[in-house]
PDB file of all heavy atoms in Angstrom:
ATOM      1  N   PHE A 131     109.614  91.995 101.356  1.00 94.00           N
ATOM      2  CA  PHE A 131     108.962  92.306 100.126  1.00 94.00           C
ATOM      3  C   PHE A 131     107.449  92.157 100.214  1.00 94.00           C
ATOM      4  O   PHE A 131     106.711  92.845  99.474  1.00 94.00           O
ATOM      5  CB  PHE A 131     109.506  91.470  98.985  1.00 94.00           C
ATOM      6  CG  PHE A 131     109.266  89.985  99.079  1.00 94.00           C
ATOM      7  CD1 PHE A 131     108.279  89.394  98.425  1.00 94.00           C
ATOM      8  CD2 PHE A 131     110.104  89.217  99.886  1.00 94.00           C
ATOM      9  CE1 PHE A 131     108.041  88.020  98.472  1.00 94.00           C
ATOM     10  CE2 PHE A 131     109.913  87.859  99.993  1.00 94.00           C
ATOM     11  CZ  PHE A 131     108.900  87.286  99.293  1.00 94.00           C
ATOM     12  N   ILE A 132     106.968  91.272 101.074  1.00 95.00           N
ATOM     13  CA  ILE A 132     105.467  91.122 101.189  1.00 95.00           C
ATOM     14  C   ILE A 132     104.855  92.400 101.706  1.00 95.00           C
ATOM     15  O   ILE A 132     103.766  92.802 101.242  1.00 95.00           O
ATOM     16  CB  ILE A 132     105.155  89.922 102.116  1.00 95.00           C
ATOM     17  CG1 ILE A 132     105.650  88.599 101.469  1.00 95.00           C
ATOM     18  CG2 ILE A 132     103.663  89.845 102.411  1.00 95.00           C
ATOM     19  CD1 ILE A 132     105.500  87.389 102.328  1.00 95.00           C
ATOM     20  N   GLY A 133     105.506  93.038 102.601  1.00 96.00           N
ATOM     21  CA  GLY A 133     104.982  94.386 103.106  1.00 96.00           C
ATOM     22  C   GLY A 133     104.943  95.368 101.973  1.00 96.00           C
ATOM     23  O   GLY A 133     103.999  96.153 101.897  1.00 96.00           O
ATOM     24  N   SER A 134     105.947  95.410 101.185  1.00 95.00           N
ATOM     25  CA  SER A 134     105.950  96.366 100.073  1.00 95.00           C
ATOM     26  C   SER A 134     104.837  96.054  99.052  1.00 95.00           C
ATOM     27  O   SER A 134     104.163  97.025  98.530  1.00 95.00           O
ATOM     28  CB  SER A 134     107.292  96.306  99.294  1.00 95.00           C
ATOM     29  OG  SER A 134     108.372  96.820 100.069  1.00 95.00           O
ATOM     30  N   LEU A 135     104.640  94.763  98.771  1.00 96.00           N
ATOM     31  CA  LEU A 135     103.545  94.351  97.946  1.00 96.00           C
ATOM     32  C   LEU A 135     102.143  94.790  98.527  1.00 96.00           C
ATOM     33  O   LEU A 135     101.289  95.218  97.772  1.00 96.00           O
ATOM     34  CB  LEU A 135     103.580  92.905  97.623  1.00 96.00           C
ATOM     35  CG  LEU A 135     104.716  92.403  96.739  1.00 96.00           C
ATOM     36  CD1 LEU A 135     104.792  90.872  96.770  1.00 96.00           C
ATOM     37  CD2 LEU A 135     104.501  92.958  95.338  1.00 96.00           C
ATOM     38  N   LEU A 136     101.992  94.608  99.780  1.00 96.00           N
ATOM     39  CA  LEU A 136     100.723  94.987 100.392  1.00 96.00           C
ATOM     40  C   LEU A 136     100.497  96.490 100.408  1.00 96.00           C
ATOM     41  O   LEU A 136      99.389  96.904 100.248  1.00 96.00           O
ATOM     42  CB  LEU A 136     100.673  94.404 101.808  1.00 96.00           C
ATOM     43  CG  LEU A 136     100.526  92.867 101.917  1.00 96.00           C
ATOM     44  CD1 LEU A 136     100.620  92.337 103.349  1.00 96.00           C
ATOM     45  CD2 LEU A 136      99.305  92.371 101.180  1.00 96.00           C
ATOM     46  N   ALA A 137     101.580  97.203 100.596  1.00 96.00           N
ATOM     47  CA  ALA A 137     101.464  98.669 100.549  1.00 96.00           C
ATOM     48  C   ALA A 137     101.059  99.130  99.155  1.00 96.00           C
ATOM     49  O   ALA A 137     100.260 100.050  99.006  1.00 96.00           O
ATOM     50  CB  ALA A 137     102.810  99.379 100.958  1.00 96.00           C
ATOM     51  N   TYR A 138     101.644  98.496  98.176  1.00 94.00           N
ATOM     52  CA  TYR A 138     101.314  98.787  96.804  1.00 94.00           C
ATOM     53  C   TYR A 138      99.846  98.489  96.464  1.00 94.00           C
ATOM     54  O   TYR A 138      99.134  99.238  95.817  1.00 94.00           O
ATOM     55  CB  TYR A 138     102.221  97.975  95.845  1.00 94.00           C
ATOM     56  CG  TYR A 138     102.602  98.712  94.617  1.00 94.00           C
ATOM     57  CD1 TYR A 138     103.609  99.739  94.673  1.00 94.00           C
ATOM     58  CD2 TYR A 138     102.112  98.401  93.366  1.00 94.00           C
ATOM     59  CE1 TYR A 138     103.986 100.361  93.524  1.00 94.00           C
ATOM     60  CE2 TYR A 138     102.476  99.060  92.215  1.00 94.00           C
ATOM     61  CZ  TYR A 138     103.381 100.064  92.285  1.00 94.00           C
ATOM     62  OH  TYR A 138     103.804 100.720  91.179  1.00 94.00           O
ATOM     63  N   PHE A 139      99.360  97.321  97.029  1.00 96.00           N
ATOM     64  CA  PHE A 139      97.979  96.900  96.870  1.00 96.00           C
ATOM     65  C   PHE A 139      96.989  97.957  97.508  1.00 96.00           C
ATOM     66  O   PHE A 139      96.078  98.417  96.865  1.00 96.00           O
ATOM     67  CB  PHE A 139      97.727  95.539  97.472  1.00 96.00           C
ATOM     68  CG  PHE A 139      96.272  95.222  97.620  1.00 96.00           C
ATOM     69  CD1 PHE A 139      95.530  94.938  96.523  1.00 96.00           C
ATOM     70  CD2 PHE A 139      95.701  95.146  98.865  1.00 96.00           C
ATOM     71  CE1 PHE A 139      94.161  94.600  96.624  1.00 96.00           C
ATOM     72  CE2 PHE A 139      94.373  94.851  99.070  1.00 96.00           C
ATOM     73  CZ  PHE A 139      93.549  94.598  97.900  1.00 96.00           C
ATOM     74  N   VAL A 140      97.280  98.287  98.778  1.00 96.00           N
ATOM     75  CA  VAL A 140      96.332  99.200  99.512  1.00 96.00           C
ATOM     76  C   VAL A 140      96.360 100.508  98.814  1.00 96.00           C
ATOM     77  O   VAL A 140      95.267 101.126  98.666  1.00 96.00           O
ATOM     78  CB  VAL A 140      96.815  99.319 100.987  1.00 96.00           C
ATOM     79  CG1 VAL A 140      96.022 100.369 101.690  1.00 96.00           C
ATOM     80  CG2 VAL A 140      96.636  97.994 101.668  1.00 96.00           C
ATOM     81  N   ARG A 141      97.487 101.077  98.366  1.00 95.00           N
ATOM     82  CA  ARG A 141      97.464 102.378  97.750  1.00 95.00           C
ATOM     83  C   ARG A 141      96.852 102.397  96.448  1.00 95.00           C
ATOM     84  O   ARG A 141      96.145 103.364  96.071  1.00 95.00           O
ATOM     85  CB  ARG A 141      98.944 102.833  97.638  1.00 95.00           C
ATOM     86  CG  ARG A 141      99.123 104.281  97.225  1.00 95.00           C
ATOM     87  CD  ARG A 141      98.419 105.198  98.138  1.00 95.00           C
ATOM     88  NE  ARG A 141      99.113 106.426  98.195  1.00 95.00           N
ATOM     89  CZ  ARG A 141      99.101 107.203  99.262  1.00 95.00           C
ATOM     90  NH1 ARG A 141      98.505 106.906 100.351  1.00 95.00           N
ATOM     91  NH2 ARG A 141      99.800 108.391  99.216  1.00 95.00           N
ATOM     92  N   SER A 142      96.939 101.330  95.664  1.00 94.00           N
ATOM     93  CA  SER A 142      96.359 101.289  94.326  1.00 94.00           C
ATOM     94  C   SER A 142      94.804 101.179  94.393  1.00 94.00           C
ATOM     95  O   SER A 142      94.163 101.331  93.395  1.00 94.00           O
ATOM     96  CB  SER A 142      96.916 100.081  93.479  1.00 94.00           C
ATOM     97  OG  SER A 142      96.594  98.859  94.105  1.00 94.00           O
ATOM     98  N   LEU A 143      94.224 100.899  95.554  1.00 94.00           N
ATOM     99  CA  LEU A 143      92.800 100.944  95.713  1.00 94.00           C
ATOM    100  C   LEU A 143      92.245 102.390  95.650  1.00 94.00           C
ATOM    101  O   LEU A 143      91.071 102.568  95.248  1.00 94.00           O
ATOM    102  CB  LEU A 143      92.354 100.335  97.058  1.00 94.00           C
ATOM    103  CG  LEU A 143      92.672  98.856  97.297  1.00 94.00           C
ATOM    104  CD1 LEU A 143      92.288  98.379  98.636  1.00 94.00           C
ATOM    105  CD2 LEU A 143      91.940  97.989  96.177  1.00 94.00           C
ATOM    106  N   THR A 144      93.071 103.377  95.958  1.00 93.00           N
ATOM    107  CA  THR A 144      92.617 104.751  95.867  1.00 93.00           C
ATOM    108  C   THR A 144      93.182 105.561  94.842  1.00 93.00           C
ATOM    109  O   THR A 144      92.582 106.499  94.281  1.00 93.00           O
ATOM    110  CB  THR A 144      92.859 105.444  97.231  1.00 93.00           C
ATOM    111  OG1 THR A 144      94.302 105.418  97.538  1.00 93.00           O
ATOM    112  CG2 THR A 144      92.138 104.848  98.409  1.00 93.00           C
ATOM    113  N   GLU A 145      94.440 105.251  94.364  1.00 92.00           N
ATOM    114  CA  GLU A 145      95.161 105.984  93.350  1.00 92.00           C
ATOM    115  C   GLU A 145      96.254 105.230  92.834  1.00 92.00           C
ATOM    116  O   GLU A 145      96.637 104.205  93.455  1.00 92.00           O
ATOM    117  CB  GLU A 145      95.645 107.369  93.894  1.00 92.00           C
ATOM    118  CG  GLU A 145      96.751 107.184  94.936  1.00 92.00           C
ATOM    119  CD  GLU A 145      97.344 108.545  95.451  1.00 92.00           C
ATOM    120  OE1 GLU A 145      96.721 109.564  95.125  1.00 92.00           O
ATOM    121  OE2 GLU A 145      98.287 108.464  96.124  1.00 92.00           O
ATOM    122  N   ALA A 146      96.893 105.707  91.776  1.00 92.00           N
ATOM    123  CA  ALA A 146      98.186 105.099  91.368  1.00 92.00           C
ATOM    124  C   ALA A 146      99.211 105.318  92.443  1.00 92.00           C
ATOM    125  O   ALA A 146      99.335 106.438  92.915  1.00 92.00           O
ATOM    126  CB  ALA A 146      98.623 105.663  90.050  1.00 92.00           C
ATOM    127  N   PRO A 147      99.950 104.316  92.881  1.00 93.00           N
ATOM    128  CA  PRO A 147     100.976 104.524  93.936  1.00 93.00           C
ATOM    129  C   PRO A 147     101.919 105.609  93.562  1.00 93.00           C
ATOM    130  O   PRO A 147     102.639 105.576  92.562  1.00 93.00           O
ATOM    131  CB  PRO A 147     101.619 103.180  94.049  1.00 93.00           C
ATOM    132  CG  PRO A 147     100.595 102.207  93.637  1.00 93.00           C
ATOM    133  CD  PRO A 147      99.879 102.914  92.467  1.00 93.00           C
ATOM    134  N   GLY A 148     101.957 106.689  94.406  1.00 91.00           N
ATOM    135  CA  GLY A 148     102.822 107.794  94.161  1.00 91.00           C
ATOM    136  C   GLY A 148     102.175 108.969  93.383  1.00 91.00           C
ATOM    137  O   GLY A 148     102.831 109.967  93.174  1.00 91.00           O
ATOM    138  N   GLU A 149     100.951 108.790  93.058  1.00 93.00           N
ATOM    139  CA  GLU A 149     100.276 109.800  92.189  1.00 93.00           C
ATOM    140  C   GLU A 149     100.090 111.125  92.936  1.00 93.00           C
ATOM    141  O   GLU A 149     100.338 112.171  92.358  1.00 93.00           O
ATOM    142  CB  GLU A 149      98.845 109.206  91.750  1.00 93.00           C
ATOM    143  CG  GLU A 149      98.073 110.245  90.956  1.00 93.00           C
ATOM    144  CD  GLU A 149      96.704 109.745  90.558  1.00 93.00           C
ATOM    145  OE1 GLU A 149      96.416 108.540  90.702  1.00 93.00           O
ATOM    146  OE2 GLU A 149      95.912 110.586  90.107  1.00 93.00           O
ATOM    147  N   LYS A 150      99.747 111.074  94.146  1.00 93.00           N
ATOM    148  CA  LYS A 150      99.500 112.368  94.902  1.00 93.00           C
ATOM    149  C   LYS A 150     100.773 113.158  94.961  1.00 93.00           C
ATOM    150  O   LYS A 150     100.761 114.344  94.694  1.00 93.00           O
ATOM    151  CB  LYS A 150      98.962 112.017  96.291  1.00 93.00           C
ATOM    152  CG  LYS A 150      98.609 113.228  97.069  1.00 93.00           C
ATOM    153  CD  LYS A 150      98.015 112.832  98.434  1.00 93.00           C
ATOM    154  CE  LYS A 150      97.644 114.118  99.213  1.00 93.00           C
ATOM    155  NZ  LYS A 150      97.147 113.642 100.549  1.00 93.00           N
ATOM    156  N   LEU A 151     101.889 112.489  95.281  1.00 93.00           N
ATOM    157  CA  LEU A 151     103.175 113.225  95.334  1.00 93.00           C
ATOM    158  C   LEU A 151     103.571 113.819  94.012  1.00 93.00           C
ATOM    159  O   LEU A 151     103.903 115.026  93.902  1.00 93.00           O
ATOM    160  CB  LEU A 151     104.231 112.206  95.793  1.00 93.00           C
ATOM    161  CG  LEU A 151     105.699 112.718  95.711  1.00 93.00           C
ATOM    162  CD1 LEU A 151     105.896 113.850  96.724  1.00 93.00           C
ATOM    163  CD2 LEU A 151     106.648 111.595  95.988  1.00 93.00           C
ATOM    164  N   ARG A 152     103.452 112.972  92.954  1.00 94.00           N
ATOM    165  CA  ARG A 152     103.831 113.462  91.678  1.00 94.00           C
ATOM    166  C   ARG A 152     102.901 114.548  91.141  1.00 94.00           C
ATOM    167  O   ARG A 152     103.309 115.486  90.426  1.00 94.00           O
ATOM    168  CB  ARG A 152     103.968 112.302  90.661  1.00 94.00           C
ATOM    169  CG  ARG A 152     105.221 111.464  90.962  1.00 94.00           C
ATOM    170  CD  ARG A 152     105.360 110.360  90.088  1.00 94.00           C
ATOM    171  NE  ARG A 152     106.556 109.608  90.311  1.00 94.00           N
ATOM    172  CZ  ARG A 152     106.770 108.651  91.211  1.00 94.00           C
ATOM    173  NH1 ARG A 152     105.781 108.361  92.018  1.00 94.00           N
ATOM    174  NH2 ARG A 152     107.865 108.058  91.321  1.00 94.00           N
ATOM    175  N   ARG A 153     101.603 114.434  91.468  1.00 93.00           N
ATOM    176  CA  ARG A 153     100.629 115.445  91.018  1.00 93.00           C
ATOM    177  C   ARG A 153     100.955 116.810  91.699  1.00 93.00           C
ATOM    178  O   ARG A 153     100.959 117.864  91.060  1.00 93.00           O
ATOM    179  CB  ARG A 153      99.163 115.013  91.332  1.00 93.00           C
ATOM    180  CG  ARG A 153      98.182 116.024  90.800  1.00 93.00           C
ATOM    181  CD  ARG A 153      96.792 115.455  90.922  1.00 93.00           C
ATOM    182  NE  ARG A 153      96.509 114.220  90.251  1.00 93.00           N
ATOM    183  CZ  ARG A 153      96.339 114.085  88.931  1.00 93.00           C
ATOM    184  NH1 ARG A 153      96.391 115.120  88.211  1.00 93.00           N
ATOM    185  NH2 ARG A 153      96.117 112.912  88.379  1.00 93.00           N
ATOM    186  N   THR A 154     101.261 116.718  92.931  1.00 93.00           N
ATOM    187  CA  THR A 154     101.619 117.965  93.665  1.00 93.00           C
ATOM    188  C   THR A 154     102.872 118.653  93.102  1.00 93.00           C
ATOM    189  O   THR A 154     102.877 119.799  92.867  1.00 93.00           O
ATOM    190  CB  THR A 154     101.867 117.675  95.212  1.00 93.00           C
ATOM    191  OG1 THR A 154     100.705 117.037  95.766  1.00 93.00           O
ATOM    192  CG2 THR A 154     102.180 118.891  95.962  1.00 93.00           C
ATOM    193  N   GLU A 155     103.872 117.810  92.848  1.00 93.00           N
ATOM    194  CA  GLU A 155     105.110 118.302  92.246  1.00 93.00           C
ATOM    195  C   GLU A 155     104.848 118.870  90.864  1.00 93.00           C
ATOM    196  O   GLU A 155     105.366 119.911  90.519  1.00 93.00           O
ATOM    197  CB  GLU A 155     106.131 117.193  92.217  1.00 93.00           C
ATOM    198  CG  GLU A 155     106.685 116.796  93.546  1.00 93.00           C
ATOM    199  CD  GLU A 155     107.608 115.619  93.433  1.00 93.00           C
ATOM    200  OE1 GLU A 155     107.722 114.973  92.379  1.00 93.00           O
ATOM    201  OE2 GLU A 155     108.291 115.298  94.432  1.00 93.00           O
ATOM    202  N   TYR A 156     104.077 118.172  90.064  1.00 94.00           N
ATOM    203  CA  TYR A 156     103.778 118.597  88.732  1.00 94.00           C
ATOM    204  C   TYR A 156     102.971 119.893  88.700  1.00 94.00           C
ATOM    205  O   TYR A 156     103.252 120.829  87.922  1.00 94.00           O
ATOM    206  CB  TYR A 156     103.040 117.466  87.980  1.00 94.00           C
ATOM    207  CG  TYR A 156     102.588 117.812  86.556  1.00 94.00           C
ATOM    208  CD1 TYR A 156     103.596 118.091  85.549  1.00 94.00           C
ATOM    209  CD2 TYR A 156     101.265 117.875  86.210  1.00 94.00           C
ATOM    210  CE1 TYR A 156     103.223 118.437  84.337  1.00 94.00           C
ATOM    211  CE2 TYR A 156     100.918 118.151  84.860  1.00 94.00           C
ATOM    212  CZ  TYR A 156     101.841 118.500  83.991  1.00 94.00           C
ATOM    213  OH  TYR A 156     101.468 118.798  82.660  1.00 94.00           O
ATOM    214  N   GLU A 157     101.925 119.940  89.506  1.00 93.00           N
ATOM    215  CA  GLU A 157     101.163 121.159  89.563  1.00 93.00           C
ATOM    216  C   GLU A 157     101.954 122.397  90.066  1.00 93.00           C
ATOM    217  O   GLU A 157     101.734 123.530  89.582  1.00 93.00           O
ATOM    218  CB  GLU A 157      99.839 120.990  90.412  1.00 93.00           C
ATOM    219  CG  GLU A 157      98.887 120.074  89.715  1.00 93.00           C
ATOM    220  CD  GLU A 157      97.704 119.715  90.532  1.00 93.00           C
ATOM    221  OE1 GLU A 157      97.650 120.116  91.803  1.00 93.00           O
ATOM    222  OE2 GLU A 157      96.807 119.052  90.058  1.00 93.00           O
ATOM    223  N   THR A 158     102.835 122.150  91.009  1.00 94.00           N
ATOM    224  CA  THR A 158     103.732 123.232  91.491  1.00 94.00           C
ATOM    225  C   THR A 158     104.656 123.659  90.379  1.00 94.00           C
ATOM    226  O   THR A 158     104.801 124.918  90.164  1.00 94.00           O
ATOM    227  CB  THR A 158     104.569 122.748  92.680  1.00 94.00           C
ATOM    228  OG1 THR A 158     103.623 122.303  93.721  1.00 94.00           O
ATOM    229  CG2 THR A 158     105.477 123.825  93.214  1.00 94.00           C
ATOM    230  N   ALA A 159     105.157 122.734  89.604  1.00 92.00           N
ATOM    231  CA  ALA A 159     106.080 123.113  88.540  1.00 92.00           C
ATOM    232  C   ALA A 159     105.333 123.864  87.394  1.00 92.00           C
ATOM    233  O   ALA A 159     105.763 124.836  86.844  1.00 92.00           O
ATOM    234  CB  ALA A 159     106.746 121.848  87.927  1.00 92.00           C
ATOM    235  N   ARG A 160     104.079 123.397  87.127  1.00 92.00           N
ATOM    236  CA  ARG A 160     103.234 124.077  86.128  1.00 92.00           C
ATOM    237  C   ARG A 160     102.913 125.511  86.553  1.00 92.00           C
ATOM    238  O   ARG A 160     102.994 126.401  85.755  1.00 92.00           O
ATOM    239  CB  ARG A 160     101.958 123.275  85.859  1.00 92.00           C
ATOM    240  CG  ARG A 160     102.044 121.973  85.148  1.00 92.00           C
ATOM    241  CD  ARG A 160     102.468 122.122  83.701  1.00 92.00           C
ATOM    242  NE  ARG A 160     101.528 122.943  82.902  1.00 92.00           N
ATOM    243  CZ  ARG A 160     101.722 123.259  81.682  1.00 92.00           C
ATOM    244  NH1 ARG A 160     102.786 122.804  81.023  1.00 92.00           N
ATOM    245  NH2 ARG A 160     100.898 123.992  81.002  1.00 92.00           N
ATOM    246  N   GLY A 161     102.587 125.676  87.854  1.00 92.00           N
ATOM    247  CA  GLY A 161     102.275 126.975  88.330  1.00 92.00           C
ATOM    248  C   GLY A 161     103.449 127.931  88.242  1.00 92.00           C
ATOM    249  O   GLY A 161     103.325 129.071  87.852  1.00 92.00           O
ATOM    250  N   ARG A 162     104.671 127.450  88.648  1.00 91.00           N
ATOM    251  CA  ARG A 162     105.893 128.299  88.502  1.00 91.00           C
ATOM    252  C   ARG A 162     106.148 128.639  87.049  1.00 91.00           C
ATOM    253  O   ARG A 162     106.520 129.694  86.727  1.00 91.00           O
ATOM    254  CB  ARG A 162     107.077 127.524  89.037  1.00 91.00           C
ATOM    255  CG  ARG A 162     107.210 127.782  90.556  1.00 91.00           C
ATOM    256  CD  ARG A 162     108.501 127.208  91.089  1.00 91.00           C
ATOM    257  NE  ARG A 162     108.137 125.879  91.514  1.00 91.00           N
ATOM    258  CZ  ARG A 162     109.011 124.827  91.532  1.00 91.00           C
ATOM    259  NH1 ARG A 162     110.207 124.944  91.109  1.00 91.00           N
ATOM    260  NH2 ARG A 162     108.543 123.695  91.947  1.00 91.00           N
ATOM    261  N   PHE A 163     105.921 127.645  86.153  1.00 89.00           N
ATOM    262  CA  PHE A 163     106.143 127.887  84.712  1.00 89.00           C
ATOM    263  C   PHE A 163     105.234 128.913  84.192  1.00 89.00           C
ATOM    264  O   PHE A 163     105.613 129.820  83.459  1.00 89.00           O
ATOM    265  CB  PHE A 163     106.003 126.586  83.947  1.00 89.00           C
ATOM    266  CG  PHE A 163     106.073 126.725  82.449  1.00 89.00           C
ATOM    267  CD1 PHE A 163     107.317 126.949  81.838  1.00 89.00           C
ATOM    268  CD2 PHE A 163     104.944 126.708  81.672  1.00 89.00           C
ATOM    269  CE1 PHE A 163     107.357 127.113  80.427  1.00 89.00           C
ATOM    270  CE2 PHE A 163     104.997 126.882  80.313  1.00 89.00           C
ATOM    271  CZ  PHE A 163     106.222 127.093  79.686  1.00 89.00           C
ATOM    272  N   GLU A 164     103.913 128.820  84.525  1.00 87.00           N
ATOM    273  CA  GLU A 164     102.928 129.753  84.083  1.00 87.00           C
ATOM    274  C   GLU A 164     103.215 131.186  84.580  1.00 87.00           C
ATOM    275  O   GLU A 164     103.062 132.119  83.889  1.00 87.00           O
ATOM    276  CB  GLU A 164     101.501 129.342  84.459  1.00 87.00           C
ATOM    277  CG  GLU A 164     101.053 128.100  83.747  1.00 87.00           C
ATOM    278  CD  GLU A 164     100.992 128.251  82.221  1.00 87.00           C
ATOM    279  OE1 GLU A 164     100.676 129.374  81.727  1.00 87.00           O
ATOM    280  OE2 GLU A 164     101.236 127.280  81.559  1.00 87.00           O
ATOM    281  N   LYS A 165     103.642 131.207  85.817  1.00 85.00           N
ATOM    282  CA  LYS A 165     103.990 132.529  86.464  1.00 85.00           C
ATOM    283  C   LYS A 165     105.165 133.169  85.720  1.00 85.00           C
ATOM    284  O   LYS A 165     105.140 134.369  85.383  1.00 85.00           O
ATOM    285  CB  LYS A 165     104.280 132.357  87.952  1.00 85.00           C
ATOM    286  CG  LYS A 165     104.513 133.691  88.648  1.00 85.00           C
ATOM    287  CD  LYS A 165     104.756 133.445  90.165  1.00 85.00           C
ATOM    288  CE  LYS A 165     105.007 134.758  90.793  1.00 85.00           C
ATOM    289  NZ  LYS A 165     105.310 134.564  92.234  1.00 85.00           N
ATOM    290  N   ARG A 166     106.188 132.399  85.489  1.00 83.00           N
ATOM    291  CA  ARG A 166     107.358 132.899  84.715  1.00 83.00           C
ATOM    292  C   ARG A 166     106.973 133.341  83.353  1.00 83.00           C
ATOM    293  O   ARG A 166     107.410 134.343  82.835  1.00 83.00           O
ATOM    294  CB  ARG A 166     108.466 131.852  84.639  1.00 83.00           C
ATOM    295  CG  ARG A 166     109.304 131.701  85.814  1.00 83.00           C
ATOM    296  CD  ARG A 166     110.512 130.887  85.545  1.00 83.00           C
ATOM    297  NE  ARG A 166     110.169 129.731  84.704  1.00 83.00           N
ATOM    298  CZ  ARG A 166     110.416 128.492  84.981  1.00 83.00           C
ATOM    299  NH1 ARG A 166     110.906 128.130  86.058  1.00 83.00           N
ATOM    300  NH2 ARG A 166     110.006 127.585  84.067  1.00 83.00           N
TER     301      ARG A 166
END
Side-chain angles (χ1 to χ4, degrees):
F131 64 99
I132 294 175
S134 293
L135 289 169
L136 291 176
Y138 218 75
F139 166 72
V140 172
R141 188 57 149 210
S142 64
L143 293 176
T144 57
E145 67 177 9
E149 177 181 347
K150 185 176 181 182
L151 171 66
R152 287 181 176 83
R153 185 172 302 282
T154 303
E155 291 173 348
Y156 177 63
E157 288 174 356
T158 303
R160 289 289 304 174
R162 274 188 267 151
F163 174 76
E164 292 299 326
K165 185 177 179 183
R166 277 192 323 237

